[in-house]
Amino acid sequence: MAPISRLFDFIVIGGGSGGMACARRAASYGAKVAVIEGSGRLGGTCVNVGCVPKKVMFNGASIVEAIEDAKHYGITVDKHSFDWGFLKQARDEYVKRLNGIYERNLSKENVEYIDGTASFVSSTEIKVNDDVFKASHILIATGGHSVIPKIEGSEHGIDSDRFFDLETQPKKVAVVGSGYIGIELAGIFHALGSDVTVFTRTEQILRHHDSIIGDTMLAEMKRQGIKFEHNSSAQALKRIHGAELPLELSWGVAGTDKPASAAYDCVLWAIGRTPNTRALNLASVPGVALNKTGHIVADEYQNTGVKGVYSLGDVFGKSELTPVAIAAGRRLADRLFGGERFAGSKLDYANIPTVIFGHPTAGTIGLTEEQAKKQYGAEAIKVYQTRFTNMYNALTPFKPPTAMKLIVTGADEKVVGLHIIGRGSDEMLQGFGVAIKMGATKRDFDNCVAIHPTSSEELVTMR
């Protein structure tokens, strides 16, 4: 006998930030909502193995750096040490509290939390274990996971998720990949005392960002003592039992025939992420299509090719950032359940600010210089940029750079790109993001009186 379906107005597959935001907003309008999550904890990548615990580790690393700087301000710190295990325990307890808050929030909003793996039976039915749930609206917000290279011994390495499982601090680390995840974790490892080498397939890092960020970050990381293997491709990873550094990584270098190798006690794969779709049984909803990267195809309103089935967040693959998924989820719920005034509700994916929590931090919004040239033509854009030393480092012997770039177009010099790197970039970008989202011009920036002495004043005084 076929199981009897339980009825809901809205089923959300995935208990991450985007799915949770969408579910709670829908419930606030009186919809009967269920959230299905199979990992055993709510919050998704961001809360459990992403933004939140990463920022805790970043904060710890930044405190260590500040202690190193203290002597240049006449502050004596006689002795300091770092306890990785202590920080891990405190961080994990904080994340666990957040998991509980998420679960209590669902309960308060009368959203049913279903623990299990969801798979489609039809466009309106979802199966979890032996139970079937039915709704006229179903959201796929299942997130993504790290890509592991298909090379011999890759299972001996870890990904960014398992970074947070490390019980002790590695002595010597290889980070394979130079996107923002690899660069952030490399910076944390190094600041906390590990010997770090970053492997990148080209001469550059952070290739999807403006060159002022990638080039400046690369030079500063090298100055700090982080090593780089450029034009490299990992070929094999071998475990050597009993060795102090038990992982032997082999790699090839473009233009040479002879592979190189070195020993490490931690190898971290940071070569990209891919969407979680395998368990969904999408064959039961043939109108839900995947693109060439495996992400679920959806339009500007998050509609897939099947009526009543939606997709957002990392599984959708456009601007894979937690605040983007939250904003898209809330707007989708507004449109579906908020009444006529929200009939056109959707997220505008243009000009989304984002930050790299590297050492130093960096922030970006809008078009890179190359993108602006392609979109408007090289002759139709103008670039303003500056480099200087943050006043924090006025008394230190080393002078980490701060670099800023404004990209404008048209007679009114509308700002179409802003890229900053240096101390405080993470906190200063949000306000400038508001201005750019509102269509600010270079004159608008110039008309704002500077706050002195700050780094951000440079953005309103560029010539």
Side-chain angles (χ1 to χ4, degrees):
M1 181 178 176
I4 299 173
S5 300
R6 290 182 55 200
L7 299 177
F8 291 89
D9 299 314
F10 190 34
I11 293 174
V12 175
I13 306 174
S17 299
M20 292 280 288
C22 191
R24 293 181 63 199
R25 180 62 63 88
S28 73
Y29 293 121
K32 185 179 180 182
V33 182
V35 169
I36 304 171
E37 171 59 49
S39 69
R41 54 185 182 176
L42 295 170
T45 295
C46 178
V47 169
N48 296 298
V49 289
C51 336
V52 171
K54 181 270 305 286
K55 186 66 181 292
V56 172
M57 300 302 288
F58 169 86
N59 289 340
S62 298
I63 291 168
V64 170
E65 291 175 323
I67 292 171
E68 293 296 327
D69 295 338
K71 59 181 176 288
H72 303 297
Y73 278 83
I75 301 167
T76 300
V77 181
D78 291 330
K79 183 180 179 181
H80 74 272
S81 61
F82 170 62
D83 187 335
W84 181 285
F86 178 93
L87 180 56
K88 179 185 186 301
Q89 182 178 344
R91 183 199 71 212
D92 292 351
E93 289 172 353
Y94 173 56
V95 169
K96 190 174 181 179
R97 289 198 299 274
L98 294 179
N99 295 145
I101 290 169
Y102 268 60
E103 192 163 349
R104 288 192 295 275
N105 284 341
L106 287 186
S107 180
K108 285 191 293 185
E109 299 279 0
N110 294 317
V111 175
E112 184 166 343
Y113 170 29
I114 300 168
D115 184 6
T117 300
S119 62
F120 278 89
V121 177
S122 70
S123 62
T124 59
E125 292 176 302
I126 299 295
K127 186 176 182 180
V128 181
N129 300 321
D130 295 325
D131 298 316
V132 175
F133 305 93
K134 189 171 185 177
S136 54
H137 300 284
I138 298 174
L139 169 63
I140 304 171
T142 47
H145 61 275
S146 298
V147 174
I148 305 300
K150 296 179 180 179
I151 62 172
E152 181 184 353
S154 62
E155 69 276 10
H156 300 309
I158 65 172
D159 60 10
S160 57
D161 289 10
R162 291 172 60 196
F163 166 82
F164 299 105
D165 293 333
L166 290 172
E167 297 288 346
T168 57
Q169 181 175 4
K171 295 177 182 178
K172 189 177 179 184
V173 181
V175 176
V176 181
S178 59
Y180 80 92
I181 293 175
I183 293 306
E184 288 182 339
L185 296 185
I188 290 169
F189 272 129
H190 174 75
L192 294 177
S194 298
D195 181 323
V196 179
T197 301
V198 176
F199 291 77
T200 177
R201 290 178 298 169
T202 68
E203 292 291 336
Q204 291 81 40
I205 64 171
L206 301 170
R207 292 186 295 278
H208 297 298
H209 294 77
D210 191 89
S211 59
I212 198 171
I213 290 179
D215 293 347
T216 305
M217 183 75 78
L218 178 60
E220 176 57 16
M221 291 177 76
K222 286 183 175 180
R223 184 200 68 79
Q224 292 172 3
I226 296 174
K227 297 179 283 294
F228 284 81
E229 290 289 345
H230 293 285
N231 304 305
S232 61
S233 57
Q235 294 181 342
L237 183 60
K238 182 168 63 175
R239 178 174 291 280
I240 304 172
H241 295 283
E244 182 182 0
L245 301 174
L247 299 176
E248 184 180 295
L249 178 66
S250 302
W251 66 92
V253 179
T256 66
D257 296 328
K258 188 176 180 180
S261 66
Y264 303 90
D265 58 342
C266 178
V267 174
L268 187 143
W269 308 121
I271 61 173
R273 293 179 65 81
T274 193
N276 293 329
T277 59
R278 183 173 298 177
L280 291 171
N281 188 31
L282 293 178
S284 295
V285 276
V288 176
L290 304 180
N291 63 19
K292 62 182 181 181
T293 59
H295 294 90
I296 293 177
V297 176
D299 65 15
E300 60 186 333
Y301 291 94
Q302 315 301 152
N303 300 311
T304 69
V306 174
K307 183 178 180 181
V309 179
Y310 317 94
S311 174
L312 57 80
D314 288 5
V315 76
F316 169 52
K318 191 170 185 179
S319 295
E320 296 179 32
L321 301 165
T322 295
V324 173
I326 291 172
R330 287 173 177 163
R331 284 160 177 78
L332 174 62
D334 288 341
R335 180 169 67 85
L336 297 180
F337 302 104
E340 186 60 32
R341 67 192 179 109
F342 292 115
S345 180
K346 63 177 181 178
L347 177 63
D348 178 6
Y349 282 87
N351 289 327
I352 291 172
T354 185
V355 160
I356 302 165
F357 287 99
H359 295 261
T361 55
T364 179
I365 180 172
L367 302 176
T368 67
E369 184 176 346
E370 288 305 310
Q371 288 170 337
K373 287 177 180 177
K374 185 175 180 180
Q375 182 166 329
Y376 296 105
E379 70 288 346
I381 69 166
K382 185 174 181 180
V383 176
Y384 296 87
Q385 56 187 318
T386 183
R387 288 178 179 270
F388 58 95
T389 298
N390 188 292
M391 193 172 173
Y392 176 94
N393 295 107
L395 305 183
T396 64
F398 45 88
K399 309 295 180 185
T402 296
M404 298 176 171
K405 179 185 284 190
L406 279 178
I407 303 162
V408 302
T409 188
D412 61 348
E413 294 197 329
K414 181 180 179 180
V415 180
V416 295
L418 183 154
H419 311 280
I420 54 179
I421 179 169
R423 176 175 292 274
S425 296
D426 50 329
E427 294 292 347
M428 75 175 75
L429 182 63
Q430 190 76 73
F432 287 101
V434 173
I436 291 172
K437 195 71 176 175
M438 294 175 68
T441 64
K442 179 64 168 61
R443 177 172 291 183
D444 292 325
F445 275 53
D446 295 342
N447 284 338
C448 181
V449 175
I451 302 170
H452 182 73
T454 65
S455 291
S456 57
E457 68 180 299
E458 297 289 332
L459 287 168
V460 299
T461 57
M462 281 191 194
R463 306 299 298 173

